[in-house]
Amino acid sequence: KTPLPRLAVVIDVRGGEFFSELQTHLNSLRSRSLNLRVLFLEATDSALVKRFESVRRPHPLQGSGTILDGIAEERVRLLSLRESADVVIDTSDLNIHQLSNKIAEGFTLEQSSKLQINVMSFGFKYGLPSDADLVADARFLPNPFWQESLRPFTGEDTAVSDFVLSQTGAQEFVTNYVAALKPVLRGYLNENKRYATIAIGCTGGKHRSVAVSKRIATELAKLDDVAVSLKHRDLGRE
């Protein structure tokens, strides 16, 4: 028989006894030098409650309690698995097509030997990205928002990007941050972690974080054994 090139197995807490032994089985598979990757899907409490209420089903772990009680118990049981996962995706604001594209980004066959790095800009006022592995703060730089000529533009525009990156400490930060990331990324590869999200934040996710994340993505793309993608989570949200 022709061996399967790839196999996906889906499981959740309803797996009962098998689920309680999942970590042991995963460790056993890894000891056989298999190219094993764990994808962990999660969502906020509010998103999960809305989903359960929309299908009028109880949470499998809520018992005589509420849906939130079931969600809390599930998070406790899944904590170790989440911490050891290779890829964590927050599905709260994703539709089925967006989720499919996001999974494809992390599991493309042609790039499977490389570390997939997603550099993401975001605005702190909209909350931290729950799927970020590393977070850096670009709010130490002067905000172009207070420059009337720059306010309407974004970090993707040359005028704003030049303004941000010409500020004292900007280039030093990019250079030193990329240098600090190098041993971390090597460690991820050594530990068979194949997907990482590096988040760069500013107040609104429009100017500083966009410009800085673009420059960091450009520098990271020069490294061997990595594939870099860039996402601006909150751009256009205002």
Side-chain angles (χ1 to χ4, degrees):
K1 297 181 179 181
T2 303
L4 294 173
R6 290 189 293 179
L7 176 66
V9 178
V10 181
I11 188 172
D12 60 25
V13 290
R14 292 171 296 181
E17 182 178 347
F18 177 78
F19 182 83
S20 65
E21 300 175 357
L22 179 59
Q23 199 65 58
T24 300
H25 293 307
L26 291 176
N27 292 336
S28 175
L29 290 172
R30 287 194 171 103
S31 68
R32 301 177 190 178
S33 300
L34 295 176
N35 184 17
L36 173 68
R37 300 176 66 195
V38 176
L39 167 64
F40 189 94
L41 302 180
E42 65 179 4
T44 62
D45 286 358
S46 59
L48 291 172
V49 169
K50 183 177 180 180
R51 291 172 188 175
F52 276 105
E53 289 181 341
S54 68
V55 296
R56 299 182 180 180
R57 292 180 181 176
H59 189 284
L61 297 181
Q62 74 181 71
S64 60
T66 66
I67 292 176
L68 282 174
D69 293 330
I71 292 172
E73 176 62 23
E74 183 178 23
R75 292 196 191 282
V76 171
R77 296 193 188 187
L78 295 177
L79 182 60
S80 62
L81 181 62
R82 187 194 188 283
E83 291 178 343
S84 63
D86 301 289
V87 182
V88 178
I89 296 179
D90 183 354
T91 68
S92 302
D93 299 317
L94 301 178
N95 60 40
I96 188 63
H97 304 293
Q98 292 169 327
L99 176 58
S100 177
N101 290 336
K102 200 170 183 65
I103 292 175
E105 290 176 2
F107 289 84
T108 301
L109 182 61
E110 290 75 16
Q111 298 178 343
S112 60
S113 64
K114 293 186 176 184
L115 172 63
Q116 313 294 311
I117 303 174
N118 177 33
V119 181
M120 175 193 299
S121 69
F122 73 96
F124 278 98
K125 71 178 184 179
Y126 300 115
L128 287 169
S130 62
D131 54 349
D133 296 284
L134 300 163
V135 177
D137 190 349
R139 291 177 295 182
F140 70 94
L141 298 169
N143 193 347
F145 178 85
W146 302 114
Q147 304 290 323
E148 289 189 12
S149 62
L150 300 177
R151 185 176 301 174
F153 301 101
T154 76
E156 290 193 310
D157 294 299
T158 302
V160 173
S161 180
D162 288 347
F163 174 86
V164 171
L165 297 173
S166 66
Q167 299 301 314
T168 301
Q171 294 290 353
E172 181 183 5
F173 168 75
V174 170
T175 299
N176 290 339
Y177 190 58
V178 170
L181 285 172
K182 289 180 180 179
V184 176
L185 302 182
R186 285 197 299 269
Y188 283 166
L189 284 169
N190 291 338
E191 292 299 315
N192 203 36
K193 179 177 175 64
R194 297 293 173 178
Y195 188 93
T197 296
I198 299 170
I200 313 295
C202 65
T203 303
K206 179 179 179 180
H207 297 111
R208 294 167 289 181
S209 62
V210 174
V212 173
S213 64
K214 283 187 66 176
R215 180 57 61 86
I216 288 175
T218 298
E219 295 304 313
L220 289 175
K222 299 176 183 177
L223 303 178
D224 296 329
D225 298 323
V226 300
V228 181
S229 61
L230 178 64
K231 177 182 178 181
H232 304 305
R233 191 192 72 174
D234 299 320
L235 194 60
R237 193 164 181 175
E238 293 182 351

